[in-house]
């Protein structure tokens, strides 16, 4: 014990922290290894590392004879190996306690290693570094457990959604079956078809829920495995093994994000039935004839705007107040258009370059720029043509019956109406109105006023919030039965969506007040409007 103390306190060079090798003494009385002091003076001034006393110029290092003799008499020190798993593990190279952590190499080192091997590396005290790493791991555990809680909550929501879908499908099936049993024998084929569609939709919706449940279950399993790995690492006593396994630990799993909405829409199933049995829509879709559970279950999914019915059908609900209509529109548009700017980029693939039909233009409307621009003059531009509108309206040459189509319009000011119409839209002026877009069941229109927007269909008006920009977009998705209007300035945002079963070709149609100008925007890369047999094919 005395020999070990003598070695550690008196026989150790303060530079290399090892036993003296060829010891020399400076004039101040401090001793060092010859190579250590010479190497130190190459990097800094000639002075004693202990007391900073300058070394005289021209002086030579003197060998410490007494210290050298004593070193020769002492036995060679052999480091005693200690348990690798004990709390006082020693350096395998120098036999000293592992007191530091080399961040550059990711190793536990002793004081001698910091001089010889890690002198220019980033180092920290071993216990300090361990506390830092343990705090990081504990933070990861907290994040992991939060993800577990979130995933478990989403699984519960999936269970509830699955029950609602099951209940809605069951109730809807029962209601439809009850109606069909009271009809004539010739309607049984339609009944089977409708129930089959509902069953397919239910299976698809439940299949989506099951897929999400499987994905969340696998995510939970992976999170649990990661948590066990971290807990095992935190319980590792050996520092070297701890840091070695820490480097092999994978990064924490990313969160799966919000739970997607279920693909179930009872309202859409009823609309399909409406298309098959148009004369019986009032009987089949009357609110009092359907169990309340059907509407409640359908509300669980992202259903489209309510209060909008197919042409020729009676409304399912009473007419809402203005506040209810505005609130309903805002909620529905949030569900359907979560990222309007992204939707705008998708719509470019369906862009159509349209032109006005001179034969339909009112005599006060002047067409220019190759029939791409129309201006309402205060004086007639000539006699009225046969088949032209007596109203201040003009129709496009192009029409669409299937597929999806998108076009953009720039207006000079407010007091204009954009819409689509069946071919049978009346050309005559009836009453005091100067337009008839949306006044009947065969047209749909969005009227832009100075301080409001009005959505018109079948003589019913719905006032909307906001004031759109001068650049507007129209998306006609005949496959989905949806007509959507956008404001494109200063940013893309949906204004209103109509849902209907479009059974005839649709023509874009416009109304504009005196002094207004309306321009059909063209894109050089836009495709020509497809022929009827090509319209059902989506763009590449």
């Amino acid at each position: 014990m005395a020999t070990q103390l003598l070695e550690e306190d008196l026989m150790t060079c303060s530079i290399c922290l090892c036993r003296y090798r060829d010891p020399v003494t400076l004039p101040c009385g401090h001793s060092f290894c010859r190579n250590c002091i010479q190497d130190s003076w190459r990097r800094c001034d000639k002075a004693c590392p202990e007391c900073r006393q300058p070394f005289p110029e021209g002086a030579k290092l003197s060998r410490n004879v007494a210290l050298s003799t004593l070193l020769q008499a002492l036995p060679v020190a052999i480091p005693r190996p200690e348990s690798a798993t004990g709390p006082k593990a020693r350096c395998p190279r120098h036999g000293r306690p592992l007191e530091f952590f080399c961040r550059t190499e990711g190793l536990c080192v002793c004081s001698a290693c910091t001089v010889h091997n890690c002198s220019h590396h980033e180092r920290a005290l071993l216990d300090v570094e361990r506390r830092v790493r343990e705090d990081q791991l504990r933070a990861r555990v907290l994040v992991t457990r939060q993800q577990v809680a979130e995933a478990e909550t989403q699984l519960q929501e999936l269970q509830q959604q699955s029950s609602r879908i099951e209940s809605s499908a069951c109730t809807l099936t029962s209601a439809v079956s009850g109606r069909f049993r009271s009809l004539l024998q010739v309607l049984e084929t339609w009944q089977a078809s409708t129930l089959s569609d509902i069953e397919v939709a239910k299976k698809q919706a439940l299949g989506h829920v099951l897929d999400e449940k499987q994905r969340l279950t696998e995510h939970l399993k992976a999170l649990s495995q990661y948590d066990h790995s971290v807990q095992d690492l935190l319980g590792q006593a050996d520092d070297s093994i701890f840091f070695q396994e820490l480097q092999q630990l994978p990064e924490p799993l990313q969160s799966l994000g919000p739970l997607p909405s279920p693909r179930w829409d009872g309202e859409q199933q009823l609309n399909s039935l409406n298309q098959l049995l148009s004369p019986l829509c009032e009987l089949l879709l009357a609110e009092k004839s359907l169990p309340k559970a059907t509407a409640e279950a359908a509300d669980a999914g992202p259903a489209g705007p309510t209060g909008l019915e197919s042409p020729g059908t009676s409304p399912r609900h009473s007419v809402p107040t203005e506040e209810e209509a505005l609130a309903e529109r805002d909620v529905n548009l949030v569900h359907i258009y979560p990222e309007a700017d992204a939707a705008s980029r998708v719509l470019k693939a369906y862009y159509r370059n349209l032109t006005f039909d001179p034969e339909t233009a009112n005599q006060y409307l002047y067409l220019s720029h190759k029939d791409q621009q129309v201006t309402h003059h205060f004086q007639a531009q000539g006699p009225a043509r046969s088949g032209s509108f007596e109203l201040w309206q003009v129709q496009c040459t192009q029409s669409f019956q299937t597929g999806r189509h998108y076009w953009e319009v720039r207006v000079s000011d407010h007091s204009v109406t954009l819409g689509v119409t069946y071919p049978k839209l009346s050309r005559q002026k009836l009453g005091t109105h100067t337009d008839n877009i949306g006044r009947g069941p065969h047209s749909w229109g969005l009227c832009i006023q100075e301080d409001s927007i009005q959505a018109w269909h079948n003589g019913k008006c719905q006032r909307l919030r906001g004031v759109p920009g001068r650049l507007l977009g129209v998306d006609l998705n005949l496959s989905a039965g949806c007509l959507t209007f956008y404001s494109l300035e200063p940013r893309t945002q949906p204004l209103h969506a109509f849902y209907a079963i479009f059974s005839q070709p649709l023509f874009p149609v416009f109304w504009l007040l005196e002094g207004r100008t309306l321009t059909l925007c063209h894109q050089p890369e836009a495709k020509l409007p497809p022929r009827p047999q090509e319209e059902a094919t989506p763009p590449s």
Side-chain angles (χ1 to χ4, degrees):
M1 184 67 181
T3 303
Q4 184 178 356
L5 264 174
L6 182 64
E7 177 185 355
E8 292 182 356
D9 297 339
L10 302 178
M11 311 303 292
T12 302
C13 174
S14 61
I15 296 178
C16 66
L17 302 178
C18 296
R19 181 181 287 189
Y20 286 113
R21 295 185 296 273
D22 190 12
V24 295
T25 302
L26 303 186
C28 60
H30 293 111
S31 298
F32 307 94
C33 299
R34 183 183 297 274
N35 290 337
C36 291
I37 191 63
Q38 289 177 347
D39 183 64
S40 174
W41 286 348
R42 291 190 191 100
R43 296 192 300 268
C44 54
D45 297 336
K46 280 191 174 184
C48 177
E50 294 280 352
C51 63
R52 309 307 301 169
Q53 179 177 332
F55 187 74
E57 288 292 337
K60 295 183 179 180
L61 293 171
S62 301
R63 182 169 178 266
N64 191 325
V65 179
L67 191 55
S68 298
T69 303
L70 183 59
L71 286 169
Q72 292 176 0
L74 289 175
V76 177
I78 299 176
R80 293 180 301 168
E82 296 188 12
S83 173
T85 59
K88 296 182 180 180
R90 291 182 174 270
C91 176
R93 287 181 291 186
H94 304 98
R96 292 179 174 275
L98 296 174
E99 300 173 343
F100 301 93
F101 180 76
C102 177
R103 292 175 176 171
T104 303
E105 295 185 358
L107 299 174
C108 300
V109 296
C110 67
S111 56
C113 292
T114 61
V115 177
H116 294 287
N117 306 100
C118 308
S119 58
H120 300 292
H121 294 175
E122 184 182 359
R123 304 181 302 272
L125 291 174
L126 188 60
D127 57 343
V128 174
E129 184 69 14
R130 170 130 188 182
R131 285 195 298 270
V132 171
R133 298 299 179 94
E134 287 180 344
D135 291 342
Q136 292 174 351
L137 285 176
R138 291 189 181 95
R140 291 185 185 181
V141 170
L142 289 177
V143 173
T144 302
R145 290 177 179 173
Q146 290 174 357
Q147 293 182 11
V148 169
E150 180 182 355
E152 290 175 344
T153 301
Q154 291 180 346
L155 270 177
Q156 293 176 357
E157 293 178 4
L158 284 174
Q159 293 285 2
Q160 296 172 0
Q161 291 172 359
S162 179
S163 299
R164 285 196 294 265
I165 292 172
E166 288 279 7
S167 176
S168 175
C170 180
T171 306
L172 185 61
T173 301
S174 176
V176 172
S177 299
R179 286 300 164 193
F180 271 102
R181 281 194 298 268
S182 64
L183 299 176
L184 299 175
Q185 186 68 25
V186 293
L187 297 178
E188 290 180 354
T189 303
W190 296 116
Q191 177 188 11
S193 175
T194 303
L195 294 178
S196 176
D197 291 343
I198 293 174
E199 187 65 21
V200 170
K202 182 192 77 172
K203 289 180 179 179
Q204 291 176 348
L206 290 177
H208 174 70
V209 172
L210 289 175
D211 291 342
E212 290 300 319
K213 289 172 65 176
Q214 179 66 25
R215 186 168 66 99
L216 284 171
T217 302
E218 292 176 355
H219 187 63
L220 276 173
K221 182 178 179 181
L223 289 174
S224 177
Q225 291 176 352
Y226 183 85
D227 184 80
H228 288 319
S229 299
V230 173
Q231 293 298 335
D232 292 341
L233 185 58
L234 290 173
Q236 177 58 248
D238 183 82
D239 294 326
S240 298
I241 298 177
F242 172 85
F243 285 102
Q244 180 181 1
E245 293 182 354
L246 176 61
Q247 295 175 359
Q248 299 174 358
L249 187 69
E251 291 295 324
L253 296 177
Q254 298 294 326
S255 175
L256 293 181
L259 187 67
S261 301
R263 299 173 182 174
W264 172 257
D265 188 357
E267 190 73 23
Q268 182 180 1
Q269 305 302 322
L270 291 177
N271 286 338
S272 299
L273 180 63
N274 183 18
Q275 184 179 16
L276 294 174
L277 305 171
S278 180
L280 301 176
C281 283
E282 184 173 359
L283 173 63
L284 293 174
L285 302 182
E287 184 176 12
K288 63 181 180 180
S289 66
L290 290 177
K292 184 177 180 182
T294 302
E296 292 177 349
D299 289 342
T306 58
L308 299 175
E309 55 280 351
S310 304
T313 64
S314 299
R316 293 186 58 212
H317 305 285
S318 59
V319 178
T321 64
E322 180 176 355
E323 292 77 8
E324 292 172 340
L326 292 173
E328 179 186 51
R329 167 186 170 270
D330 291 343
V331 170
N332 288 324
L333 289 180
V334 167
H335 279 297
I336 302 171
Y337 308 102
E339 297 184 37
D341 288 331
S344 178
R345 292 191 294 270
V346 173
L347 291 174
K348 296 296 183 182
Y350 303 92
Y351 203 100
R352 307 294 182 223
N353 291 334
L354 305 182
T355 55
F356 295 114
D357 184 359
E359 298 301 322
T360 65
N362 177 268
Q363 59 182 341
Y364 285 88
L365 303 182
Y366 172 71
L367 302 185
S368 59
H369 295 79
K370 298 181 179 180
D371 295 335
Q372 298 173 27
Q373 188 175 88
V374 59
T375 303
H376 189 157
H377 288 275
F378 292 90
Q379 296 182 350
Q381 302 302 298
R385 303 180 185 89
S386 175
S388 64
F389 283 103
E390 293 181 3
L391 305 141
W392 296 339
Q393 296 177 179
V394 62
Q395 192 170 284
C396 281
T397 304
Q398 297 77 15
S399 66
F400 309 105
Q401 190 167 5
T402 59
R404 188 172 185 179
H405 315 277
Y406 173 75
W407 59 91
E408 294 179 356
V409 179
R410 183 170 290 280
V411 299
S412 62
D413 207 344
H414 56 82
S415 300
V416 297
T417 298
L418 286 65
V420 296
T421 178
Y422 289 157
K424 61 179 66 175
L425 184 65
S426 175
R427 301 289 196 267
Q428 282 72 40
K429 180 177 181 181
L430 301 175
T432 59
H433 294 296
T434 59
D435 78 297
N436 63 356
I437 303 174
R439 305 286 179 177
H442 306 302
S443 59
W444 296 258
L446 191 77
C447 181
I448 299 171
Q449 299 293 340
E450 181 179 5
D451 56 352
S452 67
I453 310 172
Q454 300 173 5
W456 281 89
H457 173 60
N458 204 17
K460 296 182 177 62
C461 173
Q462 181 179 346
R463 293 184 178 273
L464 311 174
R465 290 177 179 171
V467 178
R470 296 289 184 258
L471 183 62
L472 305 169
V474 183
D475 174 29
L476 176 60
N477 192 339
L478 292 161
S479 302
C482 181
L483 171 66
T484 310
F485 295 89
Y486 291 90
S487 173
L488 306 179
E489 293 178 343
R491 61 183 181 85
T492 301
Q493 57 179 341
L495 299 175
H496 186 71
F498 288 105
Y499 287 84
I501 301 170
F502 301 113
S503 58
Q504 301 179 40
L506 287 170
F507 290 83
V509 63
F510 306 90
W511 170 88
L512 56 161
L513 194 64
E514 295 100 333
R516 307 304 191 260
T517 296
L518 191 147
T519 304
L520 294 170
C521 302
H522 279 205
Q523 295 287 348
E525 67 277 8
K527 296 182 180 180
L528 294 174
R531 297 175 182 176
Q533 63 269 25
E534 299 174 348
E535 289 183 351
T537 304
S540 56

